[in-house]
Amino acid sequence: MRPFSAALALSALLALVGSVAPARDIFVNNRSGDDRFTGHQRQTSPDGTGPVRTIEKALRLAQQGDRIQVENTGEPYRESLSLVGRRHSGYSQQPFVLVGNGAVLDGTAPVPPNAWEHCGTARTPGSASSEAWLPVFRFQPPRVQFQQLFLAGRPASCVAASATADQPPKLEPLQWCLHRGYIYFAVERNHLPADYPLSYAARPAGISLLAVQHVVIQDLVIQGFHLDGIHALESCRMVRVLRVTCRGNGRSGIAVGGASLVDIEQGLVGDNGFAQLLTRPCSETHLRNTRLVSNTAPAWVDEGGKVFRDGKEIRGGLDDFAPPNGP
Protein backbone atom coordinates (compact mmCIF):
# COMPACT_ATOMS: atom_id res chain seq x y z
CA MET A 1 0.00 0.00 0.00
CA ARG A 2 2.80 2.39 0.81
CA PRO A 3 4.38 2.47 -2.72
CA PHE A 4 0.91 2.90 -4.20
CA SER A 5 0.10 5.74 -1.76
CA ALA A 6 3.42 7.45 -2.50
CA ALA A 7 2.84 7.19 -6.24
CA LEU A 8 -0.67 8.58 -5.84
CA ALA A 9 0.60 11.51 -3.79
CA LEU A 10 3.31 12.22 -6.39
CA SER A 11 0.75 12.14 -9.18
CA ALA A 12 -1.46 14.58 -7.29
CA LEU A 13 1.49 16.92 -6.71
CA LEU A 14 2.46 16.84 -10.39
CA ALA A 15 -1.12 17.54 -11.38
CA LEU A 16 -1.22 20.53 -9.02
CA VAL A 17 2.04 21.94 -10.39
CA GLY A 18 0.89 21.36 -13.94
CA SER A 19 -2.32 23.28 -13.26
CA VAL A 20 -0.41 26.56 -12.86
CA ALA A 21 -0.63 28.16 -16.29
CA PRO A 22 2.46 29.95 -17.65
CA ALA A 23 2.36 33.69 -16.94
CA ARG A 24 1.21 35.82 -19.85
CA ASP A 25 2.27 39.41 -20.50
CA ILE A 26 -0.57 41.77 -21.36
CA PHE A 27 0.70 45.05 -22.84
CA VAL A 28 -0.93 48.46 -22.38
CA ASN A 29 -0.19 51.66 -24.30
CA ASN A 30 -2.48 54.69 -23.96
CA ARG A 31 -1.17 56.25 -27.17
CA SER A 32 -0.89 53.44 -29.72
CA GLY A 33 -3.08 50.82 -28.03
CA ASP A 34 -6.67 49.85 -28.77
CA ASP A 35 -9.04 48.08 -26.40
CA ARG A 36 -10.17 45.91 -29.31
CA PHE A 37 -6.69 44.35 -29.42
CA THR A 38 -5.65 41.27 -27.46
CA GLY A 39 -2.66 42.88 -25.68
CA HIS A 40 -0.35 39.98 -26.57
CA GLN A 41 2.29 42.15 -28.30
CA ARG A 42 4.06 45.32 -27.18
CA GLN A 43 3.92 46.82 -30.66
CA THR A 44 0.82 47.50 -32.73
CA SER A 45 0.18 44.71 -35.23
CA PRO A 46 -2.24 44.35 -38.17
CA ASP A 47 -3.53 41.07 -36.73
CA GLY A 48 -4.97 42.82 -33.66
CA THR A 49 -2.52 41.33 -31.15
CA GLY A 50 -1.02 44.70 -30.16
CA PRO A 51 -1.39 46.57 -26.87
CA VAL A 52 -4.68 47.56 -25.34
CA ARG A 53 -5.26 51.23 -24.55
CA THR A 54 -6.41 51.04 -20.91
CA ILE A 55 -5.19 49.17 -17.85
CA GLU A 56 -8.83 48.43 -17.04
CA LYS A 57 -9.13 46.44 -20.28
CA ALA A 58 -5.95 44.55 -19.45
CA LEU A 59 -7.44 43.60 -16.08
CA ARG A 60 -10.52 42.25 -17.83
CA LEU A 61 -8.29 40.10 -20.05
CA ALA A 62 -6.01 38.94 -17.23
CA GLN A 63 -6.01 35.56 -15.54
CA GLN A 64 -4.41 34.32 -12.34
CA GLY A 65 -0.63 34.76 -12.33
CA ASP A 66 -0.43 37.08 -15.37
CA ARG A 67 1.72 40.21 -15.78
CA ILE A 68 0.34 43.55 -16.98
CA GLN A 69 3.04 45.67 -18.64
CA VAL A 70 2.10 49.37 -18.73
CA GLU A 71 4.03 51.44 -21.26
CA ASN A 72 5.31 54.78 -19.96
CA THR A 73 4.28 57.04 -22.83
CA GLY A 74 4.61 60.33 -20.93
CA GLU A 75 0.81 60.63 -20.95
CA PRO A 76 -0.91 59.78 -17.61
CA TYR A 77 -3.34 56.89 -17.41
CA ARG A 78 -6.56 58.48 -16.17
CA GLU A 79 -8.26 55.48 -14.62
CA SER A 80 -9.36 53.95 -11.32
CA LEU A 81 -8.42 50.27 -11.05
CA SER A 82 -9.85 47.36 -9.07
CA LEU A 83 -8.06 44.05 -8.45
CA VAL A 84 -10.53 41.53 -7.06
CA GLY A 85 -10.39 37.88 -6.12
CA ARG A 86 -8.68 34.90 -7.68
CA ARG A 87 -8.56 36.28 -11.21
CA HIS A 88 -6.28 39.13 -10.12
CA SER A 89 -4.24 36.97 -7.74
CA GLY A 90 -1.10 34.93 -8.28
CA TYR A 91 0.77 32.00 -6.81
CA SER A 92 3.60 31.92 -4.29
CA GLN A 93 6.17 31.41 -7.07
CA GLN A 94 4.22 33.28 -9.77
CA PRO A 95 2.55 36.46 -8.47
CA PHE A 96 0.09 38.57 -10.38
CA VAL A 97 2.17 41.62 -11.37
CA LEU A 98 1.24 45.14 -12.45
CA VAL A 99 4.40 46.75 -13.88
CA GLY A 100 4.13 50.52 -14.33
CA ASN A 101 7.56 51.20 -15.89
CA GLY A 102 7.44 54.67 -14.32
CA ALA A 103 4.03 55.59 -15.76
CA VAL A 104 1.60 57.88 -13.92
CA LEU A 105 -1.85 56.76 -12.81
CA ASP A 106 -3.76 60.03 -12.41
CA GLY A 107 -7.15 60.69 -10.80
CA THR A 108 -7.46 64.40 -11.51
CA ALA A 109 -9.78 66.36 -13.77
CA PRO A 110 -9.40 69.99 -14.96
CA VAL A 111 -11.19 72.62 -12.93
CA PRO A 112 -13.81 74.20 -15.25
CA PRO A 113 -12.73 77.83 -15.74
CA ASN A 114 -16.25 79.12 -15.06
CA ALA A 115 -16.43 77.20 -11.75
CA TRP A 116 -14.34 79.79 -9.90
CA GLU A 117 -15.85 82.71 -8.01
CA HIS A 118 -13.99 85.66 -6.53
CA CYS A 119 -14.21 85.67 -2.75
CA GLY A 120 -11.39 87.68 -1.20
CA THR A 121 -7.78 88.76 -1.33
CA ALA A 122 -4.30 87.58 -0.38
CA ARG A 123 -1.31 89.74 0.51
CA THR A 124 1.77 89.81 -1.69
CA PRO A 125 4.68 88.50 0.43
CA GLY A 126 6.72 91.27 2.06
CA SER A 127 4.33 94.10 1.15
CA ALA A 128 1.92 96.08 3.32
CA SER A 129 0.49 98.47 0.73
CA SER A 130 -3.13 98.24 -0.34
CA GLU A 131 -1.99 97.67 -3.94
CA ALA A 132 -0.29 94.46 -2.83
CA TRP A 133 -3.53 92.59 -2.19
CA LEU A 134 -4.26 89.90 -4.77
CA PRO A 135 -7.50 88.06 -5.56
CA VAL A 136 -8.52 84.75 -3.98
CA PHE A 137 -11.02 82.53 -5.78
CA ARG A 138 -12.92 79.44 -4.75
CA PHE A 139 -14.88 76.58 -6.29
CA GLN A 140 -16.82 73.63 -4.89
CA PRO A 141 -15.69 70.21 -6.19
CA PRO A 142 -18.18 67.32 -6.39
CA ARG A 143 -16.38 65.44 -3.58
CA VAL A 144 -15.57 67.65 -0.62
CA GLN A 145 -14.55 65.47 2.33
CA PHE A 146 -11.02 65.02 1.00
CA GLN A 147 -9.47 66.94 -1.88
CA GLN A 148 -6.32 68.00 -3.66
CA LEU A 149 -5.46 70.80 -6.06
CA PHE A 150 -2.85 70.26 -8.77
CA LEU A 151 -0.92 72.95 -10.63
CA ALA A 152 0.62 71.82 -13.92
CA GLY A 153 0.28 68.18 -12.96
CA ARG A 154 1.92 68.48 -9.52
CA PRO A 155 0.39 68.97 -6.06
CA ALA A 156 0.01 72.71 -5.39
CA SER A 157 1.18 74.24 -2.11
CA CYS A 158 -1.48 73.54 0.51
CA VAL A 159 -2.28 75.49 3.69
CA ALA A 160 -4.12 73.62 6.45
CA ALA A 161 -7.52 75.07 7.32
CA SER A 162 -9.16 74.86 10.73
CA ALA A 163 -12.48 73.02 10.73
CA THR A 164 -13.83 75.39 13.40
CA ALA A 165 -12.76 78.68 11.77
CA ASP A 166 -15.39 80.82 10.06
CA GLN A 167 -12.93 81.96 7.38
CA PRO A 168 -10.20 80.16 5.42
CA PRO A 169 -6.57 80.87 6.37
CA LYS A 170 -4.54 83.60 4.70
CA LEU A 171 -3.04 82.43 1.44
CA GLU A 172 0.04 83.50 -0.45
CA PRO A 173 -0.07 83.52 -4.26
CA LEU A 174 -0.35 80.00 -5.72
CA GLN A 175 -1.38 78.51 -2.38
CA TRP A 176 -4.68 76.75 -1.77
CA CYS A 177 -6.76 75.31 1.06
CA LEU A 178 -9.90 73.23 1.55
CA HIS A 179 -12.41 74.97 3.81
CA ARG A 180 -16.04 74.01 4.39
CA GLY A 181 -16.44 72.21 1.10
CA TYR A 182 -14.65 74.78 -1.09
CA ILE A 183 -11.18 74.87 -2.62
CA TYR A 184 -9.67 78.37 -2.20
CA PHE A 185 -6.81 79.45 -4.48
CA ALA A 186 -4.77 82.68 -4.48
CA VAL A 187 -3.59 83.94 -7.88
CA GLU A 188 -0.64 86.09 -8.84
CA ARG A 189 -0.94 89.75 -9.82
CA ASN A 190 -2.96 90.37 -12.98
CA HIS A 191 -3.96 86.72 -13.24
CA LEU A 192 -7.16 84.71 -13.05
CA PRO A 193 -7.57 80.99 -12.22
CA ALA A 194 -8.17 80.27 -15.90
CA ASP A 195 -4.56 81.34 -16.55
CA TYR A 196 -3.27 78.26 -14.71
CA PRO A 197 -3.48 74.53 -15.57
CA LEU A 198 -5.43 73.62 -12.43
CA SER A 199 -6.96 70.23 -11.71
CA TYR A 200 -8.61 68.57 -8.71
CA ALA A 201 -9.06 65.02 -7.37
CA ALA A 202 -12.02 63.60 -9.29
CA ARG A 203 -11.71 59.79 -9.15
CA PRO A 204 -12.14 57.96 -5.82
CA ALA A 205 -9.08 55.67 -5.55
CA GLY A 206 -6.11 54.73 -7.70
CA ILE A 207 -5.87 50.98 -7.09
CA SER A 208 -8.40 49.16 -4.89
CA LEU A 209 -7.61 45.58 -3.87
CA LEU A 210 -10.13 43.11 -2.44
CA ALA A 211 -9.57 39.46 -1.50
CA VAL A 212 -6.40 39.05 -3.59
CA GLN A 213 -3.17 37.26 -2.76
CA HIS A 214 0.37 37.13 -4.16
CA VAL A 215 0.16 40.48 -5.97
CA VAL A 216 3.02 42.84 -6.92
CA ILE A 217 2.47 46.50 -7.90
CA GLN A 218 5.69 48.12 -9.03
CA ASP A 219 7.32 51.15 -10.67
CA LEU A 220 4.24 53.36 -10.77
CA VAL A 221 3.34 56.92 -9.77
CA ILE A 222 -0.19 57.21 -8.32
CA GLN A 223 -1.56 60.70 -7.80
CA GLY A 224 -4.60 62.93 -7.58
CA PHE A 225 -7.28 60.58 -6.24
CA HIS A 226 -10.03 61.79 -3.95
CA LEU A 227 -9.44 59.03 -1.36
CA ASP A 228 -6.33 56.83 -1.57
CA GLY A 229 -3.58 56.07 -4.02
CA ILE A 230 -3.63 52.37 -3.08
CA HIS A 231 -6.30 50.85 -0.84
CA ALA A 232 -6.09 47.22 0.29
CA LEU A 233 -9.71 47.00 1.35
CA GLU A 234 -10.13 43.56 2.94
CA SER A 235 -8.48 40.12 3.00
CA CYS A 236 -5.52 41.03 0.79
CA ARG A 237 -2.61 38.73 1.50
CA MET A 238 1.01 38.84 0.36
CA VAL A 239 0.69 42.15 -1.49
CA ARG A 240 4.00 43.79 -2.39
CA VAL A 241 4.17 47.49 -3.34
CA LEU A 242 7.59 48.04 -4.88
CA ARG A 243 9.16 51.35 -5.98
CA VAL A 244 5.79 53.11 -6.06
CA THR A 245 5.27 56.85 -5.48
CA CYS A 246 1.88 57.85 -4.02
CA ARG A 247 1.48 61.62 -3.91
CA GLY A 248 -1.21 64.26 -3.75
CA ASN A 249 -4.16 62.03 -2.87
CA GLY A 250 -7.05 63.43 -0.86
CA ARG A 251 -7.01 61.04 2.08
CA SER A 252 -3.91 58.82 2.08
CA GLY A 253 -1.15 57.59 -0.15
CA ILE A 254 -1.63 53.97 0.95
CA ALA A 255 -4.43 52.57 3.13
CA VAL A 256 -4.29 49.01 4.49
CA GLY A 257 -7.60 47.53 5.64
CA GLY A 258 -8.73 44.59 7.74
CA ALA A 259 -7.08 41.17 7.47
CA SER A 260 -4.64 42.47 4.84
CA LEU A 261 -0.88 41.91 4.71
CA VAL A 262 1.07 44.46 2.65
CA ASP A 263 4.81 45.01 2.12
CA ILE A 264 5.87 48.51 1.00
CA GLU A 265 9.42 48.56 -0.34
CA GLN A 266 11.58 51.38 -1.74
CA GLY A 267 8.54 53.65 -1.93
CA LEU A 268 7.95 57.38 -1.65
CA VAL A 269 4.69 58.62 -0.12
CA GLY A 270 3.98 62.32 0.43
CA ASP A 271 1.74 65.35 -0.24
CA ASN A 272 -1.37 63.38 0.79
CA GLY A 273 -4.19 65.07 2.68
CA PHE A 274 -4.98 63.07 5.85
CA ALA A 275 -2.18 60.51 6.15
CA GLN A 276 0.71 59.22 4.10
CA LEU A 277 -0.01 55.71 5.44
CA LEU A 278 -3.37 54.79 7.00
CA THR A 279 -3.86 51.41 8.71
CA ARG A 280 -7.02 49.73 9.98
CA PRO A 281 -7.67 46.95 12.58
CA CYS A 282 -6.42 43.41 11.87
CA SER A 283 -4.05 44.60 9.12
CA GLU A 284 -0.29 44.10 8.94
CA THR A 285 2.04 46.45 7.07
CA HIS A 286 5.80 46.12 6.56
CA LEU A 287 7.89 49.15 5.59
CA ARG A 288 11.26 48.49 3.99
CA ASN A 289 13.51 51.30 2.75
CA THR A 290 10.47 53.51 2.21
CA ARG A 291 10.06 57.23 2.84
CA LEU A 292 6.83 58.64 4.29
CA VAL A 293 7.04 62.44 3.95
CA SER A 294 4.99 64.24 6.60
CA ASN A 295 4.89 67.57 4.77
CA THR A 296 1.08 67.75 4.50
CA ALA A 297 -0.11 65.08 6.97
CA PRO A 298 1.34 62.60 9.49
CA ALA A 299 3.57 59.89 8.10
CA TRP A 300 1.37 57.17 9.60
CA VAL A 301 -2.12 57.48 11.07
CA ASP A 302 -2.72 54.45 13.29
CA GLU A 303 -6.37 53.37 13.30
CA GLY A 304 -5.44 49.78 14.15
CA GLY A 305 -3.37 46.91 12.85
CA LYS A 306 0.36 46.29 13.09
CA VAL A 307 3.18 48.16 11.34
CA PHE A 308 6.77 46.92 11.10
CA ARG A 309 9.76 49.04 10.12
CA ASP A 310 12.61 46.91 8.78
CA GLY A 311 11.26 43.95 10.76
CA LYS A 312 10.69 45.77 14.07
CA GLU A 313 7.14 46.56 15.18
CA ILE A 314 6.29 50.22 15.85
CA ARG A 315 3.15 51.58 17.49
CA GLY A 316 0.98 54.65 17.79
CA GLY A 317 1.53 56.38 14.44
CA LEU A 318 4.40 58.47 13.12
CA ASP A 319 4.80 62.19 12.62
CA ASP A 320 7.74 61.64 10.26
CA PHE A 321 9.54 58.65 8.86
CA ALA A 322 12.50 58.21 6.56
CA PRO A 323 14.80 55.19 6.18
CA PRO A 324 18.47 55.61 7.09
CA ASN A 325 19.66 55.68 3.48
CA GLY A 326 16.55 56.99 1.74
CA PRO A 327 14.35 55.15 -0.76
Side-chain angles (χ1 to χ4, degrees):
M1 294 294 293
R2 288 183 179 177
F4 178 77
S5 299
L8 191 62
L10 179 59
S11 297
L13 179 60
L14 291 173
L16 179 62
V17 172
S19 67
V20 178
R24 303 179 305 163
D25 284 299
I26 302 174
F27 296 96
V28 186
N29 188 308
N30 60 358
R31 289 187 181 271
S32 64
D34 191 316
D35 280 352
R36 295 171 295 181
F37 294 165
T38 65
H40 293 164
Q41 303 291 333
R42 186 183 297 274
Q43 302 298 327
T44 301
S45 175
D47 62 1
T49 60
V52 296
R53 180 172 289 273
T54 64
I55 307 171
E56 181 183 6
K57 176 64 175 181
L59 289 171
R60 293 202 299 269
L61 295 172
Q63 298 177 7
Q64 189 171 8
D66 283 348
R67 291 184 297 264
I68 296 177
Q69 298 277 359
V70 180
E71 190 75 18
N72 182 2
T73 66
E75 176 69 24
Y77 289 78
R78 303 186 185 279
E79 309 177 50
S80 285
L81 308 177
S82 295
L83 277 64
V84 180
R86 181 176 178 179
R87 184 174 186 175
H88 297 142
S89 296
Y91 308 94
S92 58
Q93 300 301 318
Q94 184 181 308
F96 185 94
V97 185
L98 175 60
V99 184
N101 294 301
V104 176
L105 184 65
D106 188 288
T108 64
V111 181
N114 60 358
W116 295 99
E117 61 180 10
H118 178 248
C119 62
T121 55
R123 188 189 299 275
T124 300
S127 176
S129 69
S130 60
E131 296 180 354
W133 291 91
L134 302 174
V136 173
F137 293 81
R138 72 176 188 177
F139 92 100
Q140 189 170 38
R143 297 181 172 94
V144 298
Q145 184 178 9
F146 302 102
Q147 260 304 331
Q148 285 286 346
L149 187 69
F150 276 64
L151 175 61
R154 304 283 295 192
S157 177
C158 181
V159 177
S162 170
T164 59
D166 292 332
Q167 299 295 325
K170 296 296 184 182
L171 299 175
E172 305 288 354
L174 303 185
Q175 289 183 335
W176 75 281
C177 73
L178 179 65
H179 180 69
R180 297 195 173 182
Y182 283 88
I183 287 179
Y184 290 78
F185 178 66
V187 300
E188 298 168 297
R189 180 178 300 281
N190 299 323
H191 283 75
L192 295 172
D195 298 329
Y196 303 95
L198 295 169
S199 55
Y200 68 101
R203 294 173 176 83
I207 302 178
S208 299
L209 303 105
L210 176 63
V212 296
Q213 60 180 336
H214 300 298
V215 173
V216 178
I217 300 168
Q218 67 181 65
D219 301 315
L220 194 63
V221 176
I222 306 173
Q223 66 177 32
F225 290 88
H226 150 61
L227 288 175
D228 311 304
I230 296 176
H231 191 173
L233 293 162
E234 184 75 30
S235 301
C236 300
R237 311 296 296 174
M238 310 305 293
V239 174
R240 186 183 184 204
V241 179
L242 176 62
R243 296 188 299 273
V244 171
T245 296
C246 292
R247 67 188 183 203
N249 299 289
R251 184 170 66 176
S252 71
I254 301 175
V256 184
S260 294
L261 173 60
V262 176
D263 284 1
I264 305 171
E265 303 177 38
Q266 301 177 50
L268 177 61
V269 187
D271 286 320
N272 300 288
F274 175 72
Q276 313 308 332
L277 171 66
L278 174 64
T279 61
R280 296 287 172 75
C282 302
S283 65
E284 186 173 314
T285 306
H286 292 258
L287 300 169
R288 296 184 175 90
N289 200 25
T290 288
R291 187 179 181 194
L292 307 177
V293 185
S294 58
N295 54 342
T296 55
W300 167 35
V301 172
D302 180 5
E303 294 186 354
K306 297 181 179 180
V307 172
F308 296 82
R309 176 171 55 191
D310 297 322
K312 182 178 181 181
E313 185 175 1
I314 52 179
R315 299 177 183 271
L318 290 169
D319 290 331
D320 195 11
F321 170 62
N325 301 315

